[in-house]
Amino acid sequence: MEETIGVTEAAPIPKQRGEQLLDSAVRYAEERHWDVVPGTWLESAGGRAVCSCGVEKCPAPGAHPARPDWSTQATGSAVGARRMWSKQPKASILLPTGRTFDAIEVPETAGFLALARMERMELTLGPVTRTPDRRMFFFVLPGAATKVPDLVRKLGWPPAALDLVTRGEGHYVVAPPTRVGGSGAVQWARQPTAVNRWLPDAEELISPLAYACGREAAAARGR
């Protein structure tokens, strides 16, 4: 599997072809019926990748909403997506959650451990992304944000004890091939395909995800 290699802050801005972002945004809307919205983008300043928002120490350069009303600007229309990215081809691709899907976010190490368990259990999986800051997002049916805390408690874990977060209404995930600063691009750990068009319910995945996050929490305490 391809690994993301971090670079120093002084590294040149990574090249990102605008047509790749445009084509991807259109495909997400047209083929997956996901709402998409353009976010900020990367600009070059002194040989560094900086965010179009203008904040010097932006925590997610080139990969966050560009305006406060971003959620109302989202579109599920391929024509609308093409029009928006034609205006700003370098804009990041944001996928609002709480509409056609929610997302369960975990650390990358826990995510890969959970994926291995899910495959052994022959569970149905939806798309999964991995980000340059080593987080993974499992796409599940909407409603996960309200279910997951109780599901985790039923498994014997206090929700606050696990590094497991759900993103539902009012939130978003950053979609490939968006780049985040100079640290690399968001990638698919499990790509969207015809096979995983139907998403799993959070209840189907929460046990291996909670187990993996619990293992990581125990390892952190032992260090």
Side-chain angles (χ1 to χ4, degrees):
M1 179 169 294
E2 180 184 356
E3 293 185 0
T4 301
I5 301 175
V7 295
T8 63
E9 187 177 4
I13 182 171
K15 293 182 179 180
Q16 184 173 23
R17 298 173 63 191
E19 57 266 30
Q20 290 181 328
L21 289 162
L22 186 153
D23 289 346
S24 294
V26 169
R27 189 169 66 252
Y28 295 150
E30 188 171 50
E31 297 180 5
R32 301 298 294 203
H33 305 294
W34 291 339
D35 282 3
V36 296
V37 63
T40 54
W41 58 91
L42 294 176
E43 297 177 339
S44 182
R48 294 188 301 115
V50 298
C51 188
S52 63
C53 72
V55 175
E56 183 177 355
K57 294 185 178 180
C58 177
H64 64 83
R67 44 193 293 176
D69 61 345
W70 63 270
S71 65
T72 64
Q73 302 302 310
T75 179
S77 160
V79 173
R82 185 174 297 279
R83 181 173 62 250
M84 289 193 291
W85 268 268
S86 293
K87 293 179 180 178
Q88 181 43 262
K90 296 189 296 182
S92 54
I93 304 174
L94 309 181
L95 306 177
T97 49
R99 300 184 182 189
T100 52
F101 66 88
D102 279 4
I104 302 177
E105 175 189 354
V106 298
E108 184 180 84
T109 50
F112 279 122
L113 175 60
L115 276 176
R117 289 177 65 85
M118 291 173 188
E119 288 172 352
R120 288 196 298 270
M121 297 166 69
E122 298 184 347
L123 296 180
T124 300
L125 288 172
V128 183
T129 63
R130 56 187 294 230
T131 64
D133 60 349
R134 300 191 180 281
R135 306 291 292 181
M136 292 179 72
F137 294 82
F138 289 73
F139 289 27
V140 294
L141 289 172
T146 58
K147 291 181 183 179
V148 163
D150 283 342
L151 292 173
V152 169
R153 289 188 192 95
K154 288 177 181 177
L155 292 170
W157 294 95
L162 301 181
D163 186 0
L164 185 154
V165 181
T166 53
R167 296 199 182 190
E169 187 175 358
H171 296 274
Y172 63 90
V173 296
V174 182
T178 299
R179 285 192 173 273
V180 184
S183 59
V186 180
Q187 301 174 19
W188 289 112
R190 287 292 182 276
Q191 292 195 22
T193 66
V195 175
N196 62 22
R197 182 175 296 278
W198 303 106
L199 300 177
D201 190 278
E203 192 166 357
E204 299 173 57
L205 306 187
I206 198 62
S207 179
L209 285 171
Y211 169 81
C213 289
R215 283 275 301 269
E216 179 146 313
R221 289 194 299 269
R223 286 200 287 267

